[in-house]
Amino acid sequence: QVLLQESGPGLVKPSGTLFLSCAVSGGSISSIDWWSWVRQSPGKGLQWIGEVFHTGATNYNPSLKSRLSMSVDKSKNQFSLMVKSVTAADTAVYYCARAGSSHEGAADYWGEGTLVTVSS
Amino acid sequence: DIQMTQSPPSLSASVGDRVTITCRASQTISRYLNWYQQRAGKAPKLLIYAASTLQSGVPSRFSGSGSGTDFSLTISSLQPEDFATYYCQQSSSSPLTFGGGTRVEIK
């Protein structure tokens, strides 16, 4: 059973940088799966942010690409998300997830999500 | 980006009803279509992947079908725990995109 747990500040100031980590347990970050971030604005639908592979390869949503950075820390078995120059529109619940290689890219394991509010 | 359109946006149904939700892609995605269930305040849960493959542990009353651009999720006999919001997602090409969701409510 793979478990994912997000961590990071719940409040970020406008124009600041959002930084979240996702700790993986019950599985290796160096597997052949991709590690994803998905967000959900209050009362809204789901938005795929992007994904990272253990080699450091990434795929980003073009709508956010200029402000995004994702990375993997193999020593800690975790991966991270950084979003620069945040605005109120970045306020959302952020989920980390595993895109299972045996599941045609579907996210088969999810973290519980963490609310990030952008406000001064 | 591939646009995913779900219908209906919401529906009311009773326990025991058969419910079908549809999802249409703006271009062909073969069978790279996934369905998720999200209960209020919880993370999404994978139900179906590759259009019709049931995720391990998901009850058999859930089924998926379709290919190309048109897909559907069917719940054969709605149970109390099935009242939730359902999302389709295409994993054919980046950026992955979700449908707008279908909220299933109690009649």
Side-chain angles (χ1 to χ4, degrees):
Chain A
Q1 175 79 352
V2 176
L3 296 176
L4 293 88
Q5 180 65 58
E6 304 90 351
S7 61
L11 181 65
V12 182
K13 294 189 186 307
S15 77
T17 298
L18 178 162
F19 188 84
L20 295 174
S21 295
C22 181
V24 179
S25 58
S28 172
I29 198 81
S30 298
S31 68
I32 58 173
D33 305 300
W34 285 77
W35 304 95
S36 307
W37 291 96
V38 175
R39 71 181 184 180
Q40 186 170 35
S41 300
K44 302 295 185 182
L46 301 166
Q47 182 184 29
W48 183 82
I49 300 171
E51 60 187 358
V52 61
F53 198 61
H54 67 86
T55 57
T58 54
N59 291 306
Y60 295 151
N61 191 319
S63 69
L64 299 165
K65 186 174 183 178
S66 63
R67 300 191 292 127
L68 285 183
S69 178
M70 294 182 187
S71 61
V72 167
D73 186 333
K74 296 180 184 179
S75 67
K76 295 182 178 179
N77 213 43
Q78 67 181 34
F79 60 107
S80 300
L81 167 70
M82 186 166 65
V83 183
K84 300 180 293 186
S85 304
V86 297
T87 69
D90 295 307
T91 293
V93 175
Y94 286 76
Y95 297 100
C96 59
R98 186 186 83 166
S101 59
S102 61
H103 287 67
E104 308 293 350
D108 55 352
Y109 290 100
W110 293 71
E112 62 183 15
T114 187
L115 174 63
V116 177
T117 301
V118 178
S119 175
S120 56
Chain B
D1 298 5
I2 298 175
Q3 306 303 313
M4 306 300 295
T5 304
Q6 276 184 247
S7 61
S10 65
L11 63 90
S12 294
S14 302
V15 173
D17 284 353
R18 181 182 180 89
V19 168
T20 296
I21 298 167
T22 63
C23 181
R24 173 166 289 178
S26 61
Q27 63 190 73
T28 184
I29 57 171
S30 185
R31 292 177 61 81
Y32 290 95
L33 191 284
N34 314 305
W35 290 99
Y36 300 88
Q37 175 194 67
Q38 187 178 34
R39 297 189 177 108
K42 300 296 185 181
K45 172 187 173 183
L46 179 63
L47 299 176
I48 302 277
Y49 63 95
S52 60
T53 303
L54 197 66
Q55 171 67 350
S56 176
V58 173
S60 59
R61 63 180 179 273
F62 291 93
S63 64
S65 65
S67 66
T69 61
D70 294 310
F71 302 87
S72 63
L73 171 71
T74 297
I75 309 172
S76 60
S77 177
L78 203 62
Q79 298 302 300
E81 60 269 29
D82 300 337
F83 292 96
T85 300
Y86 294 82
Y87 293 94
C88 62
Q89 177 207 37
Q90 65 82 16
S91 52
S92 172
S93 64
S94 182
L96 278 61
T97 46
F98 292 88
T102 295
R103 184 173 179 179
V104 177
E105 300 173 319
I106 301 173
K107 181 183 284 185

